[in-house]
Amino acid sequence: MTLRYRFSKLISSQGTSTSPKKAQSDYQELNLGIWRVLLAKKTRYGLQDLQWETISANLPLMRRALSDVYIVSPSLFVFTILVHLWYGVEDSLSLYFSNRLLFFIEKRIVEGTGDGQSATDLYWATISRIACSVLSGLVRWASQGHKETYSALVKQQFEGRLFMAKLTRDLPTSQRNTSISNANSDSVCDCLEQAVDLAKSMVSFLLHLRLIMHIVGSGLQDGGPVFLVVCILPLISRNLLRDTLWSKAYVAQAVNKFYIRKSALAKVVENDLKTEVMAGGAGGYLVNEYKKAQDGLEGTPDTRPEMLFGLQRQAISSIFLKLCSDGPMLYFAFLALVSPSKLSVVKLAVLEQTSISLRYTFSSLVWAADTWPTVISRMQTLYTALDIANEMKDGETPYPRPGLEESVGMSLELRNVSFSYPSTKSERAALTNVSFTVKPGQLVIIVGANGSGKSTVIKLLSRYYDMTSGSILVDGLPIEEYRMEELRKGIAILTQEHQLFPLSVEENLGLGSSEEAMKDKEMLWESTRLAGAEGIVKNFSKGLDTVLEPVSTGYLSYSGQGNKGLEDIFKDMERSASVSGGERQRLVAARTFMRLLTSPVKLVTVDEPSSALDPEGEYQLFAKLREARKGRTMIFVTHRFAHLTKYADLVV
């Protein structure tokens, strides 16, 4: 395989498309390895991001973030700002005192011990350098742990706000705004820290420039301006000639069909699908297909496009940048040839050290500018998640409304109800002109084929969504007029979609009931008995205190792998309690019984909750639900409804 061919696989068909339509586009299309990249042509990058329009557009957001962070702990906020400002001055100050010390050391060596002034100068230079180091150490000691503490306080503050925002978000809003799930509570702290780092880098860079001007003015005389240009040239040229994707506006997608095929096949052998593969004896076929995908790639790199993009640099640019980086040393060599009296070993060391430090400081400044749009964007995502309003409007009428507090059941009336799920790709409506009436206390069975909208009716009655057209009356009033939280407290729902929470069994059963009821052990055990889950809970080593699916928080270090003792301890950490599908459904049913026993429920909806139970188990569950009905309105959605029809008041 030739070098030309390998490079063509690496970066192929770069540049804009020859299509007239593409030529008029605002995007440049690139193919980098397996990636297709659409790059905004007007992208600004590097220090150009620090234009006033960009800063001013984000000032209101920054002011809000500063205010939110300040009120968490005003004293820690001020302390953090002062520490970062000191860090901006520290490097230049340390470098200044180090250079003075080196100059006076050289002077003392050259002039000998007879010069008392040189000894005094060296003494004070040494004291100054020591004092600077002591001050730096004190600042770092004083700030030790404070940054982590303050960051944790800010993070916890925003975690709480984000938790509340997600908890109160209605389903349509969540489904239309899936990007808010990417909101990160760290983003505000990260953004403000980046802003402080940007200011710190700017201060440090300016101080380094001033220091170089001071050194060259006192050491190189006429050659000083040239040296200053030589120091700054590689910094400017690197920023102007560099071409990276990191801070540009673009979208990337892996489009290589062999890579996509290989990735799909890799997922097939994951644990959740492995049993299907084993049962079907498909191993040989998968191996052959995987090999075909690998052969099709033929060495095409799947490295991130940001890395591949940088490989486009021309040879002349690389050579020029390298020579610019060596500029200060090459200038020293030139001076040594034409005017050696201007140089000394100490001057060379000081100037080289200062130019390297300047280069590092400038790189930090450019990096802070490059990442500025990204951190701002992440913070905007967080505040968008906090501020977004629910699409569904809450009502003002309490439930039950005055005069109906003593009513046991709930009356329902659907009038020509139609509904389509938001953000669905299907053009078919889930419900079309559905009408029926349910009187208080009736037992209703809803039947129909899969996809006929049975479960959708239950979701509309719980007001998870608002109907597209038509109306639903609850106890004679439109459902939209009720306060949603109070309405839902009057409804107990049991479906096959219910999940167990990563909490204790006690909380899994009691969520939705009052806090007092959750502490009533007798009531909790009664709910498990009614659901047929009593034996399941008793088999757990911690009973009601068992956490079924604990949050994973432990990890084993790389060096600990192979240590049998540590591996055994790690395996025992937060081990999940194993429950079958039927046991899971019984535990979820116990939650519903707990609500029936402790809450003023007026409507019970049961939507295929027994798919993992055998017919006898399902019969017993439904029998217990009927017994717990006690005048409540009850709606069953099930395929196996024969044994319920004799108890039904209405079949829809």
Side-chain angles (χ1 to χ4, degrees):
M1 184 182 293
T2 65
L3 181 62
R4 179 184 296 274
Y5 176 74
R6 290 177 63 87
F7 192 75
S8 68
K9 296 293 289 183
L10 183 66
I11 303 176
S12 59
S13 60
Q14 297 177 15
T16 54
S17 170
T18 56
S19 165
K21 183 176 181 181
K22 291 284 186 180
Q24 298 175 1
S25 171
D26 291 332
Y27 304 99
Q28 179 183 10
E29 182 175 344
L30 306 175
N31 290 289
L32 307 175
I34 65 167
W35 303 93
R36 173 176 176 261
V37 179
L38 286 180
L39 177 68
K41 292 181 180 178
K42 297 180 180 179
T43 299
R44 293 181 179 269
Y45 63 96
L47 293 180
Q48 299 175 35
D49 277 326
L50 296 180
Q51 54 185 329
W52 171 245
E53 291 80 2
T54 303
I55 296 174
S56 61
N58 291 294
L59 276 179
L61 187 65
M62 290 296 297
R63 282 196 296 266
R64 179 180 178 184
L66 282 170
S67 176
D68 287 343
V69 171
Y70 176 80
I71 62 176
V72 172
S73 175
S75 58
L76 284 177
F77 176 83
V78 174
F79 178 77
T80 301
I81 295 296
L82 291 176
V83 167
H84 276 78
L85 289 177
W86 163 253
Y87 289 156
V89 176
E90 179 186 18
D91 289 341
S92 299
L93 202 59
S94 297
L95 196 58
Y96 171 74
F97 286 121
S98 295
N99 292 342
R100 287 186 77 247
L101 183 58
L102 285 174
F103 278 125
F104 286 123
I105 289 174
E106 182 188 42
K107 182 179 179 182
R108 181 66 173 171
I109 292 173
V110 171
E111 297 179 359
T113 59
D115 188 354
Q117 183 61 41
S118 65
T120 303
D121 292 340
L122 180 58
Y123 172 78
W124 284 111
T126 304
I127 294 295
S128 300
R129 184 66 187 89
I130 292 173
C132 181
S133 298
V134 170
L135 181 59
S136 296
L138 284 174
V139 172
R140 293 187 182 278
W141 171 79
S143 62
Q144 187 176 7
H146 284 82
K147 176 184 175 183
E148 288 72 20
T149 300
Y150 189 43
S151 296
L153 288 172
V154 173
K155 179 182 177 181
Q156 290 158 13
Q157 174 79 8
F158 280 95
E159 280 177 340
R161 292 173 62 179
L162 193 57
F163 177 84
M164 289 299 300
K166 289 181 177 180
L167 183 64
T168 56
R169 191 83 65 244
D170 60 43
L171 286 179
T173 306
S174 298
Q175 292 167 352
R176 291 185 194 276
N177 299 273
T178 53
S179 61
I180 3 182
S181 61
N182 297 324
N184 191 329
S185 56
D186 287 328
S187 58
V188 172
C189 225
D190 291 343
C191 185
L192 294 182
E193 185 172 348
Q194 187 78 351
V196 174
D197 282 342
L198 188 60
K200 178 190 74 174
S201 298
M202 183 69 74
V203 170
S204 183
F205 176 70
L206 294 176
L207 289 175
H208 273 77
L209 278 180
R210 179 66 185 88
L211 179 60
I212 286 183
M213 292 171 65
H214 170 75
I215 294 172
V216 300
S218 60
L220 296 183
Q221 290 83 36
D222 295 338
V226 178
F227 178 75
L228 191 60
V229 171
V230 169
C231 286
I232 296 177
L233 181 61
L235 309 181
I236 298 175
S237 59
R238 187 174 297 276
N239 185 56
L240 293 177
L241 293 178
R242 73 195 181 101
D243 204 11
T244 67
L245 275 181
W246 295 109
S247 60
K248 295 189 177 185
Y250 65 95
V251 61
Q253 180 187 22
V255 294
N256 184 288
K257 66 178 182 179
F258 297 108
Y259 175 81
I260 296 171
R261 177 67 169 168
K262 188 183 76 166
S263 301
L265 292 169
K267 285 184 173 294
V268 172
V269 296
E270 297 293 335
N271 287 337
D272 53 344
L273 296 175
K274 193 169 183 179
T275 54
E276 295 288 337
V277 174
M278 295 170 65
Y285 171 79
L286 292 175
V287 168
N288 290 334
E289 290 299 304
Y290 193 84
K291 188 175 184 303
K292 290 179 185 177
Q294 283 190 312
D295 292 342
L297 282 170
E298 293 184 343
T300 304
D302 57 1
T303 310
R304 300 291 300 177
E306 294 84 359
M307 299 298 181
L308 297 176
F309 187 81
L311 299 179
Q312 300 176 99
R313 181 182 293 164
Q314 301 295 323
I316 189 66
S317 299
S318 298
I319 294 172
F320 177 73
L321 289 175
K322 183 59 180 174
L323 289 174
C324 285
S325 298
D326 294 337
M329 188 59 66
L330 295 175
Y331 183 62
F332 294 152
F334 172 75
L335 287 179
L337 289 173
V338 300
S339 184
S341 61
K342 290 185 177 181
L343 295 177
S344 69
V345 174
V346 169
K347 289 177 183 178
L348 286 175
V350 167
L351 290 171
E352 177 67 9
Q353 182 182 14
T354 306
S355 64
I356 291 174
S357 183
L358 178 69
R359 197 177 309 163
Y360 172 79
T361 304
F362 186 79
S363 297
S364 299
L365 180 61
V366 172
W367 179 84
D370 279 350
T371 53
W372 175 258
T374 302
V375 293
I376 279 285
S377 176
R378 290 177 60 215
M379 189 169 72
Q380 286 174 333
T381 300
L382 174 63
Y383 276 111
T384 299
L386 296 178
D387 295 341
I388 191 168
N390 282 328
E391 295 180 15
M392 296 174 61
K393 302 297 183 183
D394 202 3
E396 298 181 355
T397 304
Y399 188 86
R401 59 193 174 93
L404 295 179
E405 294 90 348
E406 302 301 321
S407 173
V408 179
M410 180 186 293
S411 69
L412 303 166
E413 184 177 358
L414 279 72
R415 297 178 178 174
N416 299 317
V417 171
S418 297
F419 175 74
S420 297
Y421 283 98
S423 304
T424 182
K425 295 182 179 180
S426 174
E427 297 181 358
R428 186 175 67 88
L431 292 175
T432 305
N433 296 327
V434 174
S435 300
F436 63 86
T437 301
V438 179
K439 296 178 181 178
Q442 283 191 324
L443 191 152
V444 179
I445 302 175
I446 300 179
V447 298
N450 288 335
S452 60
K454 305 185 298 297
S455 298
T456 302
V457 171
I458 300 299
K459 293 175 181 177
L460 294 180
L461 292 177
S462 303
R463 213 185 164 202
Y464 291 164
Y465 301 95
D466 283 335
M467 69 289 299
T468 306
S469 63
S471 60
I472 298 177
L473 304 182
V474 175
D475 289 341
L477 283 183
I479 193 171
E480 299 92 338
E481 295 187 14
Y482 290 108
R483 298 171 186 164
M484 285 188 280
E485 185 175 354
E486 294 182 7
L487 175 66
R488 289 167 185 161
K489 285 183 177 179
I491 303 174
I493 306 169
L494 178 58
T495 79
Q496 61 181 335
E497 297 177 356
H498 276 325
Q499 301 292 327
L500 294 174
F501 305 114
L503 306 170
S504 66
V505 173
E506 179 179 302
E507 289 176 297
N508 265 282
L509 302 185
L511 278 178
S513 304
S514 65
E515 291 190 27
E516 294 77 11
M518 289 178 66
K519 298 176 183 177
D520 190 334
K521 302 292 185 181
E522 184 177 342
M523 200 69 72
L524 288 166
W525 282 111
E526 176 63 12
S527 68
T528 63
R529 185 189 66 79
L530 291 172
E534 186 176 18
I536 300 171
V537 178
K538 286 184 176 179
N539 283 335
F540 295 143
S541 58
K542 296 183 180 180
L544 292 171
D545 294 326
T546 302
V547 178
L548 298 176
E549 297 177 358
V551 176
S552 178
T553 58
Y555 66 92
L556 181 66
S557 71
Y558 178 80
S559 299
Q561 296 176 19
N563 186 311
K564 189 176 185 308
L566 288 177
E567 287 180 343
D568 290 342
I569 293 172
F570 176 66
K571 288 177 182 177
D572 288 335
M573 285 181 178
E574 302 155 346
R575 181 177 291 177
S576 299
S578 179
V579 291
S580 66
E583 291 172 334
R584 182 181 297 270
Q585 288 189 340
R586 289 188 182 278
L587 289 168
V588 171
R591 185 189 304 158
T592 301
F593 280 111
M594 185 67 182
R595 290 206 59 205
L596 294 177
L597 292 171
T598 62
S599 304
V601 173
K602 296 179 179 292
L603 171 66
V604 183
T605 61
V606 184
D607 183 7
E608 298 285 2
S610 54
S611 57
L613 298 179
D614 56 41
E616 179 61 25
E618 180 188 64
Y619 178 82
Q620 292 177 357
L621 175 62
F622 284 4
K624 293 295 184 182
L625 286 169
R626 291 198 317 273
E627 292 174 9
R629 179 178 158 199
K630 297 180 179 178
R632 299 180 176 95
T633 303
M634 189 168 285
I635 299 177
F636 284 91
V637 174
T638 179
H639 286 94
R640 298 182 291 203
F641 56 88
H643 58 87
L644 286 172
T645 52
K646 60 182 177 181
Y647 303 103
D649 299 303
L650 177 66
V651 178
V652 179

